[in-house]
Amino acid sequence: MIFSKSCEYAIRAVIYIAHQSRNGKKVSIREVAQGIDSPLHFIAKILQYLSKRNIIQSTKGPNGGFYLDKRAMKQTLEDVVIAMDGDQVFEGCALGLRYCSESRPCPLHEEFKQIREQIRYSLQSTTIAQFAEEDAHKPILKR
Amino acid sequence: MIFSKSCEYAIRAVIYIAHQSRNGKKVSIREVAQGIDSPLHFIAKILQYLSKRNIIQSTKGPNGGFYLDKRAMKQTLEDVVIAMDGDQVFEGCALGLRYCSESRPCPLHEEFKQIREQIRYSLQSTTIAQFAEEDAHKPILKR
DNA sequence: TAAATAAAGGAGTTTTTTATCTTTTTTATG
DNA sequence: CATAAAAAAGATAAAAAACTCCTTTATTTA
Ligand code: FES
Ligand code: FES
């Protein structure tokens, strides 16, 4: 929940690609799909979209594939999430009211404002590069 | 996000019914739908389901409708959420891995464990009855 | 007991999300 | 320049979620 399936895959894919990217290695759709155990054609669409949104980079042809350039490495997961799911996670009302507002707060407003800020903080506080560095991430993504 | 649409409606409906229920008033599907601004037939199904799960009570026939008995009033929103969306909100991995586990934690595990606990706490800490009491809730549910 | 009221139940439809398949374009290299 | 590798693009398809409509059952009351 919290994130859409596409967004979950996207986060995992970005971390995976970033990890490979540290040594300048580009990865193909096939590798990503295997690496994070996601449907091949589905992740293809997601990567294509992330690439268009400039969250990740890609090159066609032999030796091509997906990678992250220096700038992309400095992004945070918040950027990925916003690209995939928009800002509803951070801005939307927990009870589905049209707007989350201070002036007409729903019964869960105060509590969930904090929760959403904490989600935002969690996603902001670490760069993609940092996730890529961790060695711990390997056994996690591949299952 | 966080909750399904059905769950959002359910929470709003339960609070609405509880509020009316304080003075022993039973409410019809129609009233609930208007009160919380939700699709009539959709909320009908939801109320039917909540009733079967004994989250709310109902009686058929003239002067019938939905209400909350004393026991139901003492429940928390956690009960409503679990009835509607299951425990994925509280238990599921943020990145969609099959299990959220300490032994194979995903890169977001530590942060999101806390977030999910905070969500659980928020939903547990107030009884339905308390939400019903607040006068502030009225302008919130009806839009 | 007939009529009216209100929820329960059953059977759809529509929309959105998730997933698959095929063709086209780009690029490197022999 | 031909071939192969790889992503981009386009077109469906399947599944799930959201939403609707119609019929049945239970209950009250005139
Ligand atoms: S109004 Fe519902 S969370 Fe702010
Ligand atoms: S393993 Fe992902 S949140 Fe625990």
Side-chain angles (χ1 to χ4, degrees), chain B residues 49-63:
Chain B
Y49 177 75
L50 288 174
S51 173
K52 196 149 46 178
R53 295 288 303 259
N54 214 35
I55 302 286
I56 63 179
Q57 282 67 52
S58 72
T59 55
K60 287 179 170 183
N63 311 321

Side-chain angles (χ1 to χ4, degrees), chain B residues 92-95 97 99-101 104-106 108-109 112-113 116:
Chain B
C93 167
L95 295 190
L97 301 185
Y99 309 103
C100 168
S101 64
R104 281 180 124 233
C106 77
L108 298 180
H109 179 74
F112 274 75
K113 198 172 64 173
R116 288 181 334 228

Side-chain angles (χ1 to χ4, degrees), chain A residues 1 3 8 11-12 77 88 94-98 104-108 111 115 118 122 131 139-140 143, chain B residues 1 3 8 11-12 77 88 94-98 104-108 111 115 118 122 131 139-140 142-143:
Chain A
M1 323 294 151
F3 307 128
E8 291 175 353
I11 294 173
R12 291 202 267 152
L77 291 186
Q88 281 303 297
L95 295 190
L97 301 185
R98 252 184 294 278
R104 284 180 122 232
C106 77
L108 298 180
E111 316 249 32
I115 288 166
Q118 202 181 329
S122 294
F131 283 116
I140 298 146
R143 303 166 63 78
Chain B
M1 324 291 147
F3 306 127
E8 291 174 354
I11 295 173
R12 292 201 267 150
L77 291 187
Q88 280 305 297
L95 295 190
L97 301 185
R98 252 185 293 280
R104 281 180 124 233
C106 77
L108 298 180
E111 317 247 32
I115 288 165
Q118 202 181 329
S122 294
F131 284 117
I140 298 146
K142 185 134 191 180
R143 304 168 62 79

Side-chain angles (χ1 to χ4, degrees), chain A residues 93-94 99-101 104-106 109 116:
Chain A
C93 168
Y99 309 103
C100 167
S101 63
R104 284 180 122 232
C106 77
H109 178 75
R116 288 180 336 227

Side-chain angles (χ1 to χ4, degrees), chain A residues 106-112, chain B residues 11 14-15 18 68 71-81 118-134 137:
Chain A
C106 77
L108 298 180
H109 178 75
E110 283 309 320
E111 316 249 32
F112 273 76
Chain B
I11 295 173
V14 167
I15 294 176
L68 275 79
R71 189 201 53 79
M73 279 287 201
K74 281 183 201 146
Q75 296 173 117
T76 68
L77 291 187
E78 189 195 18
D79 300 304
V80 180
V81 170
Q118 202 181 329
I119 293 174
R120 190 195 286 275
Y121 177 78
S122 294
L123 296 176
Q124 274 180 347
S125 61
T126 317
T127 64
I128 309 282
Q130 284 172 288
F131 284 117
E133 273 165 30
E134 292 173 29
H137 89 286

